[in-house]
Amino acid sequence: MRKKIGILLALALSLLSAATAFAAAPAKPVTIGISKIVSHPALDAVVKGIQDELKDSKMNATFDVQNANGDINTAASIATKFQSQKVDLAVGVATPTAQALVNTLKGIPIVFSAVTDPVKAGLVPSLAKGGKNVTGVSDMTPVKQQIEMLLKIKPKTKRIGHIYTSSEENAVVLAGMVKQVCKEKHLEFVETTVTKSAEVKQAAQTIANRVDAIYISTDNTVVSAMSAVAEVAAKAKIPVMSADPSSSETYDVLAAWGFDYYKMGRATGKMIIEILKGKKPEQIPTRFMTKASDVDLLINLDVAKKLGLTVPADIVKAAKTVRQNGKITKK
């Protein structure tokens, strides 16, 4: 009997030891390829959010982060690189890089982030479900509300200038929306296009003396050259309304209203984790940032003062970030 008990005890200890070793074993390592169209604060924040979300979830992940520097051919090369590496999952940050991944990768899950209209971009068949091996998070921006806010701060605005990238599907979609809002508000729409960030300053100079204000959407190429837009606008004494607060804190932009892109990165990270745990992208619809806490409003009272404008008290109160006397206050 003692011998049997000893054998059973040894067996129990062996099983316990194996279970403990199994529980302590690290999760299977995964490689995630991230391709962003350019480097600017908003897109960089998306990448950081993704990395932090996976780190906090204890995922054993390594990241291959690539920057296409605004070049479509480079974006295609990055996609080819990810395919040859056989990454476990690829992320396209912004429309052009997401399109390159979808057009190139075979058998690899793809998650897009900071894409304005994934349906028109050909990434998914509808917003209600993912495409084959692809789904993601949209940053469709509230264009109408942004322009209405601009009009509250500068009621006498009659002509709005808009600079956008002709080769970025998201930028073209948003330009159409801006044009429609201007039509509804009986505003003159003055547009100019660019193909790369080096052209942004000249484009701003082309329209600066013909408009009362400039509106900048979540156009990655233009946003990456926001300093040039702000410089030209300051000389022309006209305000800039931007849809990207992340890139506006250090420049003379009157107001910026848009998403917290770090939080968008965290939301994208959650989606990545679902897929790595077995959920198919086809089962996941496009997700949107819908919480009030997902949105940031920046008001630059120093710029308003220089332009002789008074920002309504309710707008200042609603702002999460206020710049005044050269200092930034976060609420």
Side-chain angles (χ1 to χ4, degrees), residues 125-269:
S126 75
L127 298 176
K129 62 179 182 179
K132 185 177 180 181
N133 263 344
V134 57
T135 188
V137 181
S138 169
D139 67 345
M140 176 61 80
T141 190
V143 175
K144 185 175 182 179
Q145 292 90 333
Q146 290 162 339
I147 292 177
E148 286 175 341
M149 178 178 288
L150 173 62
L151 296 177
K152 286 181 180 178
I153 301 174
K154 191 177 181 183
K156 293 182 180 180
T157 299
K158 301 297 181 184
R159 300 161 298 173
I160 288 185
H162 184 56
I163 308 165
Y164 67 97
T165 309
S166 56
S167 59
E168 277 194 44
E169 180 67 33
N170 59 305
V172 174
V173 168
L174 289 168
M177 294 174 66
V178 178
K179 187 175 183 178
Q180 181 58 36
V181 172
C182 285
K183 183 178 180 181
E184 292 174 9
K185 300 292 181 182
H186 305 291
L187 301 169
E188 183 181 344
F189 177 67
V190 182
E191 65 181 322
T192 182
T193 63
V194 298
T195 60
K196 53 188 178 181
S197 59
E199 299 171 356
V200 172
K201 184 172 184 177
Q202 185 176 350
Q205 290 171 331
T206 300
I207 63 171
N209 294 321
R210 298 189 285 129
V211 300
D212 301 311
I214 292 176
Y215 172 82
I216 301 298
S217 70
T218 50
D219 180 321
N220 296 293
T221 300
V222 178
V223 168
S224 67
M226 184 63 79
S227 59
V229 177
E231 179 187 338
V232 173
K235 288 181 180 179
K237 298 188 182 305
I238 55 174
V240 175
M241 175 75 193
S242 171
D244 181 14
S246 301
S247 301
S248 302
E249 289 189 5
T250 57
Y251 304 124
D252 285 341
V253 171
L254 173 66
W257 183 17
F259 295 111
D260 182 324
Y261 279 85
Y262 176 75
K263 289 183 179 178
M264 184 172 293
R266 299 290 300 222
T268 306

Side-chain angles (χ1 to χ4, degrees), residues 57-68:
S57 68
K58 309 301 181 185
M59 294 294 291
N60 186 2
T62 58
F63 300 92
D64 183 357
V65 181
Q66 298 290 324
N67 178 7

Side-chain angles (χ1 to χ4, degrees), residues 2-330:
R2 288 182 179 177
K3 187 175 182 180
K4 286 184 178 178
I5 292 173
I7 292 171
L8 289 172
L9 183 59
L11 180 61
L13 288 172
S14 177
L15 290 172
L16 179 61
S17 177
T20 303
F22 179 78
K28 178 186 175 183
V30 294
T31 300
I32 297 174
I34 301 179
S35 177
K36 58 183 177 180
I37 188 60
V38 290
S39 180
H40 64 67
L43 300 191
D44 295 345
V46 171
V47 174
K48 182 69 164 57
I50 291 171
Q51 294 173 322
D52 286 352
E53 185 63 34
L54 269 72
K55 180 181 179 182
D56 290 349
S57 68
K58 309 301 181 185
M59 294 294 291
N60 186 2
T62 58
F63 300 92
D64 183 357
V65 181
Q66 298 290 324
N67 178 7
N69 289 310
D71 186 84
I72 302 300
N73 292 326
T74 302
S77 296
I78 292 170
T80 301
K81 177 179 184 288
F82 288 167
Q83 181 68 58
S84 64
Q85 287 178 324
K86 295 182 179 179
V87 297
D88 294 286
L89 184 144
V91 183
V93 183
T95 302
T97 42
Q99 288 173 319
L101 294 177
V102 170
N103 291 337
T104 304
L105 300 188
K106 305 297 179 187
I108 296 173
I110 300 165
V111 174
F112 59 78
S113 188
V115 169
T116 300
D117 192 331
V119 176
K120 284 191 176 180
L123 301 176
V124 291
S126 75
L127 298 176
K129 62 179 182 179
K132 185 177 180 181
N133 263 344
V134 57
T135 188
V137 181
S138 169
D139 67 345
M140 176 61 80
T141 190
V143 175
K144 185 175 182 179
Q145 292 90 333
Q146 290 162 339
I147 292 177
E148 286 175 341
M149 178 178 288
L150 173 62
L151 296 177
K152 286 181 180 178
I153 301 174
K154 191 177 181 183
K156 293 182 180 180
T157 299
K158 301 297 181 184
R159 300 161 298 173
I160 288 185
H162 184 56
I163 308 165
Y164 67 97
T165 309
S166 56
S167 59
E168 277 194 44
E169 180 67 33
N170 59 305
V172 174
V173 168
L174 289 168
M177 294 174 66
V178 178
K179 187 175 183 178
Q180 181 58 36
V181 172
C182 285
K183 183 178 180 181
E184 292 174 9
K185 300 292 181 182
H186 305 291
L187 301 169
E188 183 181 344
F189 177 67
V190 182
E191 65 181 322
T192 182
T193 63
V194 298
T195 60
K196 53 188 178 181
S197 59
E199 299 171 356
V200 172
K201 184 172 184 177
Q202 185 176 350
Q205 290 171 331
T206 300
I207 63 171
N209 294 321
R210 298 189 285 129
V211 300
D212 301 311
I214 292 176
Y215 172 82
I216 301 298
S217 70
T218 50
D219 180 321
N220 296 293
T221 300
V222 178
V223 168
S224 67
M226 184 63 79
S227 59
V229 177
E231 179 187 338
V232 173
K235 288 181 180 179
K237 298 188 182 305
I238 55 174
V240 175
M241 175 75 193
S242 171
D244 181 14
S246 301
S247 301
S248 302
E249 289 189 5
T250 57
Y251 304 124
D252 285 341
V253 171
L254 173 66
W257 183 17
F259 295 111
D260 182 324
Y261 279 85
Y262 176 75
K263 289 183 179 178
M264 184 172 293
R266 299 290 300 222
T268 306
K270 285 181 170 64
M271 184 178 283
I272 290 169
I273 292 167
E274 289 179 43
I275 294 170
L276 291 176
K277 287 184 176 180
K279 195 166 186 178
K280 296 198 175 295
E282 296 94 315
Q283 300 172 331
I284 306 175
T286 296
R287 291 178 183 167
F288 295 85
M289 308 296 286
T290 57
K291 298 178 183 177
S293 59
D294 294 335
V295 180
D296 277 347
L297 170 60
L298 176 149
I299 296 295
N300 192 322
L301 295 177
D302 291 342
V303 170
K305 186 176 181 180
K306 289 177 184 177
L307 297 175
L309 300 173
T310 300
V311 181
D314 61 327
I315 293 179
V316 177
K317 184 178 180 180
K320 290 184 180 179
T321 304
V322 177
R323 187 175 173 188
Q324 187 174 27
N325 298 324
K327 296 180 179 180
I328 292 178
T329 302
K330 299 273 189 180

